[in-house]
Amino acid sequence: MNILAIESSCDETAAAVVRDGRHICSDVVLSQSALHAVYGGVVPEIASRRHVEAIVPLADEALRQAGLTKRDIGAVAVTFAPGLIGALLVGLNFAKAAAFGLGVPLIPVHHIRGHIAANYLAFPDLAPPFLCLAVSGGNTLLVDVRGYTEMHILGRTRDDAAGECFDKVARVLDLGYPGGPKLEALARGGDPEAYALPRAKVADAPLDMSFSGLKTAVVNLVHNAKQKGETLDLPGLAASFQAAVADVLVSRTMEAAFETGRTVLVAAGGVAANFHIRASLERAAAAAGRRLYLPPTKFCGDNAAMIGAQGYYEYLAGHTAGMEQNAYASLEIDAV
Ligand code: KG4
């Protein structure tokens, strides 16, 4: 089945055609990041307006690149949660109209389920059950993926998401938006032990994470140095920060692997593009004898192909919706 997939939860407008959940026929992403960079972060109203302008030509382009016509589409999948509500509504309403007009099912897809499913596009042999570390700008979750549509949250951040923390630290270092890749570039060649930064643990919740203390520690270091007129070792600070995030993510992932007995580990989301985090996960998985799947970096960020992949499995599970389907700014991955 050919699924036309739409993603508009944040600052990427994306459309794709995916066949049977595993084969990408086309995958078009229009990033708005240059539009938001001047503000140092995503401006929701600007994002919504840009989605409105981009969505129709982008969906046409996805069909054109797939070499298909509207009549070849068997269903329309769309991100309906979580994300910026105005941005989500643009994609959802386009998808509703497309599904209604074509007379095909509408499949609502949870954004983080989509990030996890990006791995199905890259790895034909990957199938649940597995343990997934899903790390993006808005979410940091450890998910026990028991089936394609059966998810159980094992651990989560109690405050900032890892990507959000990267972005905020990058902002205080004047690196610009989006901060993750810029901070990673600054950290290259820096000493990861240059600064002693905290790795928080959450009492009574060994698989949960917390990044706000780490963020505050870096912000305080920078402000104190500015006030005293001291020069910081910026590559060292970036590398120390990155190492602290990686330590927390990797240690929780391995604890969850031991607790569940899962032998297959998977990473997903924008932060999974970070080289240091990928290398740390690889080392830990190899030492523990676990099989690790790391998505190619082009599948880590937001795209619609991942929504088409997950959409196929939601469809097989009977998870289709009517025209009353709403969008939700926040929704648990296991509440679908
Ligand atoms: O998955 P994603 O594209 O969007 C969401 O669904 O949130 O993730 C975006 C987040 C941003 O916070 C961005 O700074 C972070 O992923 N990110 C990175 C890297 N590339 C993107 N963080 C660290 N290192 C990177 N290389």
Side-chain angles (χ1 to χ4, degrees):
M1 173 198 262
N2 294 319
I3 293 183
L4 172 66
I6 303 294
E7 155 67 38
S8 69
S9 65
C10 191
D11 62 344
E12 266 97 21
T13 323
V17 178
V18 176
R19 186 170 303 140
D20 297 337
R22 296 275 179 167
H23 174 72
I24 300 175
C25 304
S26 64
D27 181 20
V28 196
V29 182
L30 183 77
S31 173
Q32 306 178 357
S33 62
L35 214 58
H36 300 282
V38 282
Y39 303 100
V42 179
V43 182
E45 182 61 22
I46 293 176
S48 308
R49 285 166 189 253
R50 186 68 191 114
H51 286 313
V52 170
E53 291 163 356
I55 194 104
V56 174
L58 222 65
D60 280 343
E61 182 60 16
L63 281 175
R64 196 190 65 75
Q65 287 190 15
L68 299 173
T69 70
K70 289 173 189 155
R71 273 185 294 280
D72 300 316
I73 296 302
V76 181
V78 62
T79 306
F80 78 107
L84 301 171
I85 192 66
L88 286 166
L89 281 167
V90 176
L92 178 62
N93 282 310
F94 172 83
K96 279 187 192 177
F100 184 76
L102 298 174
V104 299
L106 173 72
I107 311 166
V109 176
H110 190 283
H111 182 71
I112 305 300
R113 288 188 178 204
H115 272 303
I116 296 171
N119 286 280
Y120 302 143
L121 298 166
F123 306 111
D125 62 323
L126 177 65
F130 56 79
L131 181 71
C132 183
L133 171 68
V135 263
S136 66
N139 295 268
T140 301
L141 292 175
L142 270 166
V143 187
D144 191 28
V145 182
R146 296 172 176 173
Y148 285 104
T149 61
E150 197 192 334
M151 320 261 162
H152 176 69
I153 298 174
L154 298 167
R156 61 176 349 130
T157 179
R158 291 292 184 100
D159 37 57
D160 291 4
E164 192 181 349
C165 197
F166 264 96
D167 292 336
K168 286 180 179 163
V169 166
R171 191 190 298 189
V172 87
L173 296 177
D174 292 326
L175 298 179
Y177 172 85
K182 293 188 165 137
L183 204 125
E184 178 175 9
L186 176 64
R188 225 163 273 146
D191 173 9
E193 290 177 8
Y195 293 89
L197 296 173
R199 279 95 166 130
K201 291 201 165 170
V202 180
D204 303 327
L207 298 181
D208 277 355
M209 295 160 260
S210 163
F211 294 103
S212 71
L214 171 62
K215 174 190 70 187
T216 308
V218 178
V219 170
N220 287 346
L221 252 166
V222 173
H223 287 166
N224 284 341
K226 269 188 192 153
Q227 279 164 6
K228 292 179 186 159
E230 289 169 3
T231 311
L232 286 168
D233 164 14
L234 292 179
L237 182 56
S240 302
F241 165 78
Q242 191 173 251
V245 175
D247 282 354
V248 172
L249 293 175
V250 174
S251 64
R252 297 307 187 283
T253 305
M254 298 320 295
E255 275 163 46
F258 291 125
E259 202 165 282
T260 56
R262 291 276 180 245
T263 54
V264 177
L265 312 181
V266 171
V271 182
N274 182 279
F275 178 78
H276 181 78
I277 293 171
R278 293 168 82 91
S280 305
L281 277 171
E282 267 168 354
R283 275 194 302 276
R290 302 305 209 257
R291 175 107 198 250
L292 174 69
Y293 291 86
L294 291 172
T297 49
K298 67 170 178 165
F299 288 140
C300 290
D302 288 349
N303 63 83
M306 67 186 199
I307 302 303
Q310 182 61 23
Y312 178 68
Y313 293 104
E314 299 290 348
Y315 174 77
L316 293 183
H319 299 165
T320 57
M323 292 299 117
E324 72 289 351
Q325 178 66 50
N326 206 349
Y328 301 92
S330 56
L331 186 75
E332 299 288 9
I333 196 171
D334 53 359
V336 182

